[in-house]
């Protein structure tokens, strides 16, 4: 993470398959670093079926804003993954069986 945070949060999401976790992680990974600023920063990790997001912030307001952003991003990614798995064989380039 960046400098020593005053506030930290760890979000952990577990999915039915490693492929689903990979799709969600890849969907939101491009935002890491893009939405970070001098008040908050994020690290994302995926292991098998689990996606973990670590957030550090200098103050509670920045932490709350980062949490709201990441919950929204994950929510959208999960909805898209669910629709893709229900309505089609796969998202282009994505395999659900990994």
């Amino acid at each position: 993470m960046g400098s020593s945070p005053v506030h930290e949060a760890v979000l952990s999401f577990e999915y039915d398959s490693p492929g689903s976790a990979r799709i969600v992680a890849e969907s939101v990974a491009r935002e890491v670093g893009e939405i970070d600023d001098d008040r908050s920063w994020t690290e994302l990790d995926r292991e098998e079926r689990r996606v973990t997001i670590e957030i550090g912030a200098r103050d509670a307001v920045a932490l709350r804003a980062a949490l709201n952003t990441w919950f929204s991003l994950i929510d959208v990614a999960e909805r898209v993954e669910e629709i893709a798995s229900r309505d089609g064989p796969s998202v282009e380039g994505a395999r659900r069986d990994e």
Side-chain angles (χ1 to χ4, degrees):
M1 268 186 213
S3 305
S4 297
V6 174
H7 302 280
E8 294 179 298
V10 177
L11 309 177
S12 183
F13 304 91
E14 190 161 332
Y15 297 95
D16 292 337
S17 70
S20 293
R22 184 180 55 76
I23 290 169
V24 171
E26 288 178 0
S27 296
V28 300
R30 60 193 52 145
E31 302 300 333
V32 173
E34 293 296 317
I35 58 177
D36 293 351
D37 58 24
D38 62 333
R39 293 174 56 206
S40 67
W41 49 94
T42 307
E43 292 182 2
L44 182 137
D45 186 44
R46 181 186 70 86
E47 291 186 32
E48 294 298 318
R49 299 182 313 133
R50 184 178 307 271
V51 175
T52 304
I53 301 170
E54 295 182 43
I55 302 167
R58 296 194 192 284
D59 57 74
V61 173
L63 180 63
R64 185 186 72 223
L67 285 167
N68 287 338
T69 298
W70 284 102
F71 277 125
S72 294
L73 291 169
I74 290 290
D75 182 52
V76 170
E78 288 174 344
R79 289 182 194 192
V80 170
E81 192 281 330
E82 181 180 323
I83 290 167
S85 67
R86 181 184 66 217
D87 294 343
S90 67
V91 175
E92 183 178 328
R95 293 193 334 250
R96 295 183 45 75
D97 59 352
E98 290 183 358

